[in-house]
Amino acid sequence: YWASLTVGRLFAAALASRLTPGQVLAGAALGAGLACVALLGLAAGDERDDDDDAAWAWWAATLALGACFGPIFPGALTLLEEFVAMTGRVTAACVVGAGIGELTLGAVLVAIYGAGGASEFAAAMLGCAGVQAALVMGLIACGARTTKKLAARQATGFARLPVGDDA
């Protein structure tokens, strides 16, 4: 999993010059969702059948999931940079938030796996991929709205959005 996550991150870096961050994130979210659906199907099949003839499929789906999760964090930071000035404080907030989310989500997913097994774990991962896709679409929509407002202000001579006492 971790090796494929690294390969996915490197592959996304190579694609970054040809695609927008939103396109990379949309592809990653779609791929992660498909890999989660495959894992969910494999888990449901495993509950009915005890032989390990589908071990290659488990490995392939797990590697695909890792490769699709790879570009998410750097892609999200790159996409955010299009809409927000990435100061040290903003970057630190992103990194701290990601760390807290990683710790919390990891603990929750391990608890789900321990309580319900592989099929519930795959369903939880599919839910995570869906939430991620919704957040990316929301970020793109909010960023597009902010960009339109800024462009309208620049066209009228007001180059920046009002902040604090300027509002």
Side-chain angles (χ1 to χ4, degrees):
Y1 171 83
W2 291 108
S4 66
L5 187 132
T6 302
V7 168
R9 193 163 283 179
L10 292 172
F11 184 69
L15 287 177
S17 64
R18 300 175 194 263
L19 300 173
T20 66
Q23 291 170 327
V24 171
L25 286 173
L30 178 65
L34 292 174
C36 287
V37 168
L39 286 170
L40 192 57
L42 287 167
D46 243 12
E47 290 175 359
R48 288 183 260 127
D49 188 12
D50 281 338
D51 62 355
D52 279 339
D53 56 345
W56 66 270
W58 276 101
W59 277 103
T62 301
L63 293 174
L65 184 64
C68 292
F69 278 167
I72 291 172
F73 185 72
L77 282 179
T78 305
L79 183 63
L80 185 63
E81 188 177 352
E82 290 184 7
F83 308 125
V84 176
M86 292 298 285
T87 63
R89 186 173 286 176
V90 171
T91 304
C94 290
V95 171
V96 168
I100 291 171
E102 181 179 356
L103 291 172
T104 306
L105 186 60
V108 168
L109 290 175
V110 166
I112 288 171
Y113 183 78
S119 61
E120 282 77 11
F121 180 75
M125 291 298 290
L126 180 60
C128 289
V131 168
Q132 171 215 337
L135 290 173
V136 166
M137 289 187 298
L139 179 63
I140 292 170
C142 289
R145 200 175 15 216
T146 301
T147 304
K148 285 180 185 176
K149 285 181 183 178
L150 186 58
R153 288 188 175 270
Q154 286 175 339
T156 60
F158 297 101
R160 62 183 184 94
L161 294 174
V163 179
D165 293 335
D166 295 342

